Amino acid sequence: MMNIVLLEPEMPANTGNIGRTCVATGTRLHLIEPLGFKLNEKAIKRAGLDYWDKLDVQVYADYQDFLDRNPQAIGNLYFATTKAHRLYTEPAYRPDCYLMFGKESAGIPEEILVANEPYCVRIPMWGEIRSLNLANSVSIVLYEALRQNRFGELNPAGQLHRLHWNGEN
């Protein structure tokens, strides 16, 4: 099972959207406090639609609490940051890896990034754009990790029904 880790997320809509993505991919969501919202807020549930009750979510008091409760993450934890020198497509992600993203206003603290520099990854962007939306960034990196693992148990095929077109709308 893949793992998304949000360090001090601030916007309930982003976390709700990320939660929905986690449900759709069978991914566990880890939230590290402080959160910029309450987990029972309408905005988070609205963004997560009716999937929020299906979400596998864990909450931690701080970064050290997360590490203490997830020792298997050490050496299997990637840090998404605009400061990385390595592209998000370069690591060989394991099927049980952890992908961490920082809060919307500041990202992951510099001291965490410096201590884990070999595991820092970046999504390339044009020019001087500061960053992408958090929910979009999570989707990009998560789906690369899933692609590398042949999408695990995700359903790879839809069911397109062919309609007979008779030339009329």
Side-chain angles (χ1 to χ4, degrees):
M1 169 185 291
M2 294 276 177
N3 296 275
I4 294 298
V5 183
L6 301 181
L7 179 64
E8 303 176 6
E10 299 167 317
M11 298 180 180
N14 279 336
T15 302
N17 283 315
I18 292 164
R20 182 175 180 180
T21 298
C22 287
V23 171
T25 58
T27 300
R28 179 174 289 139
L29 179 60
H30 303 264
L31 301 175
I32 300 176
E33 294 181 325
L35 308 179
F37 50 85
K38 297 196 182 320
L39 286 177
N40 61 359
E41 277 189 32
K42 283 184 184 179
I44 197 167
K45 293 188 178 186
R46 183 171 44 247
L49 295 176
D50 56 346
Y51 299 104
W52 195 255
D53 64 329
K54 297 169 181 62
L55 179 62
D56 181 354
V57 62
Q58 304 291 317
V59 181
Y60 306 89
D62 55 33
Y63 178 62
Q64 190 58 52
D65 182 35
F66 166 76
L67 292 176
D68 290 346
R69 291 171 46 194
N70 294 279
Q72 69 280 10
I74 307 297
N76 195 28
L77 175 59
Y78 296 89
F79 302 82
T81 173
T82 59
K83 299 173 183 176
H85 300 287
R86 190 174 185 197
L87 292 178
Y88 75 100
T89 54
E90 293 179 33
Y93 299 106
R94 294 186 353 208
D96 61 345
C97 71
Y98 292 76
L99 307 171
M100 179 180 279
F101 300 81
K103 63 183 169 183
E104 291 89 340
S105 66
I108 299 170
E110 190 89 13
E111 61 271 11
I112 293 174
L113 297 176
V114 168
N116 295 282
E117 196 276 331
Y119 297 95
C120 292
V121 297
R122 173 185 170 79
I123 300 169
M125 292 173 283
W126 178 258
E128 297 300 318
I129 298 299
R130 194 176 29 151
S131 65
L132 295 171
N133 171 273
L134 179 60
N136 293 339
S137 296
V138 167
S139 294
I140 290 167
V141 179
L142 174 60
Y143 267 88
E144 172 60 18
L146 290 166
R147 183 196 66 78
Q148 288 185 16
N149 288 279
R150 301 183 179 272
F151 297 104
E153 296 180 22
L154 301 183
N155 186 355
Q159 296 183 6
L160 180 64
H161 298 286
R162 295 177 188 248
L163 299 177
H164 297 285
W165 189 68
N166 62 8
E168 298 175 10
N169 290 337

